[in-house]
Amino acid sequence: MSFLKKLKDKFQSTEQQEEVSDKYKDGLSKTRQSFSSRINDLVARYRTVDEDFFEDLEEVLISADVGVNTVMDLIDELKMEVKRQNIKDTSEMKDVISEKLVDIYYGDDAVTSSSINFQSDDLTIILFVGVNGVGKTTTIGKLAYQLKQSGKHVVMAAGDTFRAGAIEQLEEWGKRVDVEVVKQSAGSDPAAVIYDGIRAAKSRKADVLLCDTAGRLQNKVNLMNELSKVKRVIEREVPGAPHEVLLVLDATTGQNAMSQAKTFSEATDVSGIVLSKLDGTAKGGIVLAIRNELQIPVKFVGLGEKVTDLETFDAQAFVYGLFADMLQDDPEE
Amino acid sequence: MAFEGLADRLQNTIQKIKGKGKVTEQDVKEMTREVRLALLEADVNFKVVKDFVKKVKERAVGQEVMDSLTPGQQVIKVVKEELTALMGGDQSKIAVSDRPPTVIMMVGLQGAGKTTTTGKLANLLRKKHNRKPLLVAADIYRPAAINQLETLGKQLSMPVFSMGTEVNPVDIAKKGVEQAKENHDEYVIIDTAGRLHVDTDLMDELAQIKDAVKPDEIFLVVDSMTGQDAVNVAENFNDQLDISGVILTKLDGDTRGGAALSIKAVTDKPIKFAGTGEKLDEIEAFHPERMASRILGMGDVLSLIEKAQENVDEKKAKELEQKMRSASFTFDDFLDQMGQVRNMGPLDDLIGMMPGANKMKGMKNLEIDEKQINHVEAIIQSMTAKERQDPSLMNASRKKRIAKGAGRPVSEVNRLLKQFEEMKKMMKQMTNMQQGKKGKKGKGLNFPFM
């Protein structure tokens, strides 16, 4: 049984899974179409597996923002695989390519978990970090809604005291999803706001505290230090916290996302990634590179502007969405 | 993650060529492959890279590179020239309407930095033209977007026009421009909501705003960290709105910013401004040349090349080559050449500018001792004119005299003489080798001691 078939079977085994993968398929339709149709196109154009074929494949992968290093490694591995299995016909390549890609997506089992480290009977603190304009506040709003729907008592802390209108933006989300927002005035010390947030969350016996922070470019040392301080304050107030540090990455970002993930990890020990704006035409190949090179798991995916458009990242569903066309095109199966 | 700049990438290939003295088509192919990878790593769109590399290859296979003294650097130079040409000149002008107000419309994806850039642009207009623009808050979708613009307006003490979130953005834009007319404001900047380029409804809304207010400028605001998708975004916005220019934001980050090249290539619209910080005065005219260097990750190499161009006398280099060929290279020539290199600045700096120099074998621990070079100079200068022309004249007493004159031990004089003879032998061998082969003249050795 081919690998793709196995994947397909897995996803059609239960209705619930079907539902999940449908949502991914919708959200990722643009990603999927362009990506897998290009691979199909590639396979159709070349009869034999040769240098030109690999060069074109390289481009397909690079156009998905997978990252040059990852692509080069992948191509090398594929070349070896082709030699080993003595593959000559490009039609056989589809399976090999997707298997290798999935390998990278899954990475080590240890890091594939996309579940949030919730404390069963205590306050769970989640810190959000990222560069400017990636969608931190929006993600917090969406997550607050989701948690509230599941019956959790949520408090949000308006830690972005820098950007004009950031506090008001979070307050607006608070109103929309009916969640309390702890804030101070613009320009105040973000660590102090987060401290207040922890106090408030504790006294209200909240289940989850979502901490917003100002967007900052990762090469601004002072601002990164400020972020480390925020994290230290949380650590001091609640031992074991923050239970998650989520780095929000814009899916349209190119190779710089790697630098973001690396530097933010150094400053705040990032535990997971939220990949936002994946509903555009950006290919999301960045996930491959991040998983491959930094072993940071993706926990959520932003697939739209609605409050409900935040999905728990499901690597298998993601891969299924990405390769759905290829699966359907397989005639002999 | 540290990206290798183009210069670093080219190192291996350059190393290979160095010993050959002749650049083959295969070498050029390898170099252009490195160019391609460097550009891809910088997030330039792969299609744009393809076209670009083709152009570079054409020039590189021609005489320009293959005949040059330093093929590796020549490739970099060709790449940079092409890159700068593609990116266009300084075009940081803002259109002025004959009938005020001049209307500027800001468009782009979510989170690109439209609102912040609106504030910065307004600040720039006031600083440069002493005008107070009216800011129009037409983003009714994102929570508190209007509030953000109002806060910026307060910080800049500039008027902000808003009608809340219940009014159609097209109407807000229209009314805003009307108010500007009444108040005799000379500029209006309309801040629109961020939207996906594939969101038909919202893109249509922008087209309606455009129809309603007939803007003099439509600026597409793009995050400089954007990856391969920049092409799709720019193409869509340009096709549907015919944008007049681009503003690149967040350039104070450590991104290479290859998106700039992609956008310019697919839209052929000028990149006018660059956002370089979080403060409201951190916007500047876009410099295509600097951007080209940044994309290649190699500002320093370029200044090295510039220095070389400024300081190396072409005619002298030709004479030198002739001498090497006929093995009539003398201490005078040696001294002359040292002088040329030293004109370029302290050796430490030069080595530092050389791509990959610190990775080269032996270079890492080798501290460039300016003193040692001074000594060599002193020794040569202590020779008589005759001795410099014909080192075979040397005998024990001459050596002693030279050593005394230079203030160095005789052993050092001996060492230099020996090295010089070896160098000459090498040159002869190399030039013979090159002459033996058919084809182009090799010029691999311009600075024998570098």
Side-chain angles (χ1 to χ4, degrees):
Chain A
M1 190 158 63
S2 89
F3 176 78
L4 288 171
K5 187 83 182 353
K6 271 185 262 174
L7 197 64
K8 188 180 187 175
D9 288 349
K10 193 162 187 175
F11 275 93
Q12 285 168 353
S13 56
T14 69
E15 251 175 57
Q16 189 220 345
Q17 271 169 332
E18 181 77 342
E19 203 180 290
V20 171
S21 53
D22 272 356
K23 197 150 189 184
Y24 267 86
K25 268 167 72 179
D26 286 349
L28 293 172
S29 57
K30 287 143 206 150
T31 308
R32 191 186 71 240
Q33 273 161 19
S34 48
F35 187 70
S36 55
S37 72
R38 286 199 60 196
I39 293 199
N40 277 333
D41 183 44
L42 186 66
V43 168
R45 239 180 321 130
Y46 290 92
R47 286 270 167 82
T48 53
V49 182
D50 54 15
E51 271 307 307
D52 288 346
F53 173 81
F54 278 117
E55 201 161 295
D56 260 29
L57 177 64
E58 194 182 294
E59 272 176 8
V60 172
L61 294 168
I62 281 172
S63 72
D65 278 323
V66 170
V68 178
N69 290 343
T70 314
V71 172
M72 295 302 156
D73 291 351
L74 186 72
I75 296 279
D76 283 348
E77 273 177 46
L78 282 173
K79 280 182 180 167
M80 258 157 60
E81 201 62 32
V82 164
K83 237 187 201 163
R84 209 164 54 88
Q85 299 186 20
N86 196 22
I87 298 172
K88 294 218 169 63
D89 199 336
T90 51
S91 62
E92 294 169 57
M93 280 304 288
K94 254 204 257 180
D95 217 40
V96 181
I97 294 168
S98 35
E99 194 169 345
K100 280 279 172 223
L101 281 171
V102 172
D103 264 3
I104 297 177
Y105 265 102
Y106 286 135
D108 299 330
D109 276 340
V111 295
T112 50
S113 162
S114 58
S115 60
I116 292 291
N117 174 22
F118 281 116
Q119 306 300 295
S120 47
D121 48 0
D122 209 352
L123 176 65
T124 301
I125 301 180
I126 305 178
L127 179 66
F128 287 81
V129 300
V131 299
N132 318 61
V134 289
K136 282 177 294 305
T137 310
T138 306
T139 303
I140 289 174
K142 288 177 182 174
L143 186 60
Y145 172 79
Q146 217 176 69
L147 293 172
K148 190 139 198 275
Q149 289 301 106
S150 68
K152 288 203 155 58
H153 181 177
V154 184
V155 174
M156 305 193 282
D160 183 355
T161 57
F162 181 80
R163 203 203 67 200
I167 297 170
E168 289 82 354
Q169 188 181 350
L170 194 66
E171 277 187 307
E172 179 62 35
W173 273 107
K175 261 184 241 157
R176 281 190 195 181
V177 302
D178 190 23
V179 163
E180 185 189 348
V181 176
V182 177
K183 56 154 189 173
Q184 286 184 13
S185 56
S188 52
D189 178 11
V193 179
I194 302 298
Y195 177 84
D196 282 0
I198 295 171
R199 282 298 160 100
K202 273 183 178 167
S203 72
R204 310 225 196 330
K205 301 217 165 16
D207 299 309
V208 186
L209 173 68
L210 304 176
C211 305
D212 196 8
T213 61
R216 63 203 74 216
L217 295 175
Q218 72 274 18
N219 58 340
K220 309 265 159 117
V221 179
N222 289 344
L223 294 178
M224 293 309 280
N225 287 342
E226 180 190 271
L227 207 55
S228 304
K229 183 183 161 194
V230 168
K231 190 182 173 236
R232 278 201 305 277
V233 166
I234 298 173
E235 282 166 351
R236 200 180 59 214
E237 289 308 303
V238 180
H243 306 95
E244 293 282 354
V245 179
L246 297 182
L247 171 69
V248 184
L249 285 182
D250 185 331
T252 52
T253 306
Q255 308 277 296
N256 194 251
M258 198 61 67
S259 156
Q260 290 171 25
K262 209 174 170 190
T263 318
F264 274 98
S265 282
E266 280 161 16
T268 58
D269 203 10
V270 172
S271 63
I273 282 166
V274 179
L275 196 61
S276 67
K277 309 184 201 174
L278 203 56
D279 50 328
T281 48
K283 313 289 193 295
I286 201 88
V287 176
L288 262 178
I290 290 166
R291 291 187 65 80
N292 188 8
E293 292 183 31
L294 296 168
Q295 281 89 45
I296 302 173
V298 181
K299 303 226 168 181
F300 293 102
V301 180
L303 292 167
E305 296 210 285
K306 291 191 295 292
V307 68
T308 50
D309 288 336
L310 184 74
E311 287 290 316
T312 304
F313 181 75
D314 180 330
Q316 297 185 335
F318 183 85
V319 173
Y320 181 72
L322 211 54
F323 295 109
D325 285 350
M326 284 171 79
L327 296 170
Q328 278 146 20
D329 288 351
D330 235 335
E332 75 254 297
E333 300 202 359
Chain B
M1 194 165 97
F3 289 113
E4 281 179 292
L6 176 60
D8 287 329
R9 285 203 155 277
L10 284 174
Q11 260 319 288
N12 287 338
T13 325
I14 291 172
Q15 278 299 320
K16 253 188 273 170
I17 297 165
K18 239 187 187 168
K20 289 206 272 189
K22 182 177 182 287
V23 184
T24 63
E25 216 156 305
Q26 183 60 33
D27 295 329
V28 171
K29 206 173 162 192
E30 262 177 57
M31 283 196 278
T32 46
R33 180 175 162 80
E34 295 302 329
V35 171
R36 174 172 169 269
L37 291 178
L39 293 175
L40 286 174
E41 262 186 351
D43 285 329
V44 181
N45 182 269
F46 74 99
K47 281 185 211 150
V48 177
V49 171
K50 210 172 192 173
D51 293 345
F52 182 81
V53 167
K54 213 169 125 196
K55 235 185 279 169
V56 171
K57 211 178 208 161
E58 274 164 20
R59 271 183 71 180
V61 173
Q63 306 298 314
E64 213 174 324
V65 168
M66 296 192 27
D67 258 3
S68 100
L69 302 168
T70 47
Q73 288 178 3
Q74 203 61 30
V75 167
I76 294 172
K77 199 173 153 248
V78 169
V79 169
K80 201 211 160 195
E81 275 172 17
E82 289 288 332
L83 214 54
T84 313
L86 188 60
M87 222 112 67
D90 181 355
Q91 283 165 318
S92 63
K93 283 201 177 66
I94 296 178
V96 180
S97 173
D98 314 336
R99 280 178 299 169
T102 297
V103 180
I104 301 170
M105 195 172 148
M106 311 290 279
V107 301
L109 297 182
Q110 293 98 335
K114 284 173 300 304
T115 308
T116 305
T117 308
T118 301
K120 287 179 176 180
L121 205 57
N123 194 26
L124 192 77
L125 283 170
R126 177 169 62 187
K127 236 180 15 191
K128 276 205 164 168
H129 309 285
N130 204 20
R131 299 276 181 247
K132 254 192 204 180
L134 177 69
L135 309 180
V136 177
D139 180 358
I140 60 166
Y141 304 103
R142 199 193 66 196
I146 296 174
N147 193 290
Q148 184 183 355
L149 195 66
E150 278 170 346
T151 307
L152 292 177
K154 235 177 266 165
Q155 283 171 17
L156 294 163
S157 32
M158 280 184 198
V160 176
F161 179 84
S162 70
M163 298 171 76
T165 55
E166 301 300 320
V167 183
N168 184 319
V170 183
D171 294 331
I172 297 176
K174 240 196 280 186
K175 290 260 164 63
V177 174
E178 273 166 28
Q179 185 182 315
K181 263 181 204 158
E182 278 167 29
N183 295 355
H184 303 288
D185 290 322
E186 308 217 0
Y187 288 96
V188 184
I189 309 179
I190 303 167
D191 180 30
T192 66
R195 63 202 74 211
L196 284 174
H197 51 291
V198 285
D199 187 328
T200 336
D201 293 344
L202 284 180
M203 288 304 284
D204 195 49
E205 181 195 282
L206 285 183
Q208 285 175 34
I209 295 178
K210 185 188 170 186
D211 278 351
V213 301
K214 308 259 180 310
D216 303 281
E217 294 270 16
I218 302 177
F219 288 141
L220 174 64
V221 182
V222 185
D223 186 329
S224 60
M225 295 180 280
T226 310
Q228 296 285 323
D229 207 37
V231 162
N232 296 326
V233 174
E235 233 168 15
N236 270 291
F237 273 96
N238 193 40
D239 285 353
Q240 292 175 54
L241 296 168
D242 189 22
I243 60 168
S244 64
V246 176
I247 300 180
L248 219 52
T249 61
K250 306 178 203 174
L251 260 176
D252 48 328
D254 59 3
T255 179
R256 282 281 177 70
L261 190 65
S262 305
I263 294 165
K264 184 69 189 8
V266 298
T267 64
D268 201 30
K269 295 292 163 66
I271 300 173
K272 295 202 168 185
F273 298 97
T276 55
E278 303 208 26
K279 293 194 203 76
L280 285 170
D281 57 356
E282 287 173 316
I283 185 169
E284 49 183 58
F286 179 76
H287 300 289
E289 193 153 335
R290 274 185 226 169
M291 197 64 216
S293 299
R294 178 175 181 147
I295 290 174
L296 297 175
M298 44 166 288
D300 280 355
V301 178
L302 293 166
S303 34
L304 180 63
I305 295 170
E306 272 157 27
K307 275 189 174 178
Q309 281 169 339
E310 277 166 29
N311 292 302
V312 175
D313 189 327
E314 285 267 338
K315 220 174 110 195
K316 275 189 179 167
K318 278 225 171 96
E319 274 174 27
L320 187 74
E321 198 203 328
Q322 206 47 52
K323 282 182 173 160
M324 278 165 63
R325 220 168 271 285
S326 57
S328 61
F329 186 72
T330 67
F331 271 117
D332 274 329
D333 301 322
F334 191 49
L335 204 60
D336 203 42
Q337 226 188 350
M338 273 172 68
Q340 284 202 22
V341 173
R342 300 194 94 187
N343 276 343
M344 288 161 65
L347 273 179
D348 271 345
D349 287 2
L350 290 182
I351 302 276
M353 282 183 206
M354 268 163 47
N358 47 1
K359 283 191 214 146
M360 259 187 248
K361 246 190 180 169
M363 275 294 205
K364 212 168 186 174
N365 305 319
L366 179 89
E367 271 183 41
I368 300 297
D369 194 350
E370 295 267 340
K371 265 190 201 153
Q372 226 169 358
I373 292 165
N374 284 338
H375 295 163
V376 170
E377 237 172 37
I379 292 171
I380 299 175
Q381 274 160 352
S382 302
M383 295 176 189
T384 66
K386 260 190 186 167
E387 284 163 351
R388 287 187 213 178
Q389 291 294 325
D390 184 6
S392 64
L393 286 173
M394 291 295 174
N395 57 29
S397 78
R398 280 179 194 265
K399 283 179 194 168
K400 218 189 241 168
R401 193 204 77 241
I402 292 166
K404 224 177 186 175
R408 304 302 303 164
V410 179
S411 59
E412 222 167 277
V413 179
N414 277 329
R415 205 184 311 143
L416 178 67
L417 286 169
K418 206 174 158 205
Q419 279 172 350
F420 186 73
E421 275 317 306
E422 268 167 16
M423 201 168 76
K424 260 174 88 170
K425 235 187 262 168
M426 217 170 66
M427 280 179 199
K428 205 174 169 188
Q429 265 174 6
M430 288 185 70
T431 44
N432 282 347
M433 240 164 57
Q434 282 158 17
Q435 276 172 334
K437 280 186 203 158
K438 275 184 186 169
K440 293 169 188 84
K441 291 179 280 178
K443 297 179 186 175
L445 262 185
N446 196 27
F447 304 133
F449 56 92
M450 265 187 90

